Amino acid sequence: GECSAFKERFMECLRRSGYESAACRQSAMAYLECRMDRRVAQLMANEPLEKLGFKDLINEKSEEKPEKS
């Protein structure tokens, strides 16, 4: 149940988008991150998000961060 809030956000996104999973990739990534972060509970093995098909979203996140001077 530790990741149920993430799962519910993902499922709600799917319902809103007519089950178009591409529209919910941010929610899917957050859900998978939650599962991997709670590896102690053996929910999911830790895998790089790039290998799971989220490389483009990772690049977007890093581009959004302001550079430190």
Side-chain angles (χ1 to χ4, degrees):
E2 295 178 54
C3 298
S4 60
F6 292 97
K7 182 181 94 175
E8 287 305 315
R9 277 188 284 250
F10 175 60
M11 296 304 295
E12 179 58 32
C13 180
L14 286 175
R15 286 188 285 272
R16 279 193 323 265
S17 70
Y19 295 92
E20 182 64 44
S21 62
C24 302
R25 292 182 68 230
Q26 289 282 2
S27 299
M29 186 175 74
Y31 176 54
L32 292 174
E33 283 181 305
C34 177
R35 289 182 60 98
M36 288 187 291
D37 288 346
R38 279 129 181 104
R39 190 171 174 199
V40 174
Q42 304 271 331
L43 293 176
M44 182 176 179
N46 201 3
E47 289 287 337
L49 290 168
E50 293 87 353
K51 279 182 72 175
L52 298 175
F54 296 103
K55 184 176 183 175
D56 59 324
L57 295 181
I58 304 285
N59 291 338
E60 286 176 14
K61 272 187 173 180
S62 63
E63 289 173 4
E64 289 175 6
K65 292 180 183 175
E67 291 185 30
K68 294 181 180 179
S69 301

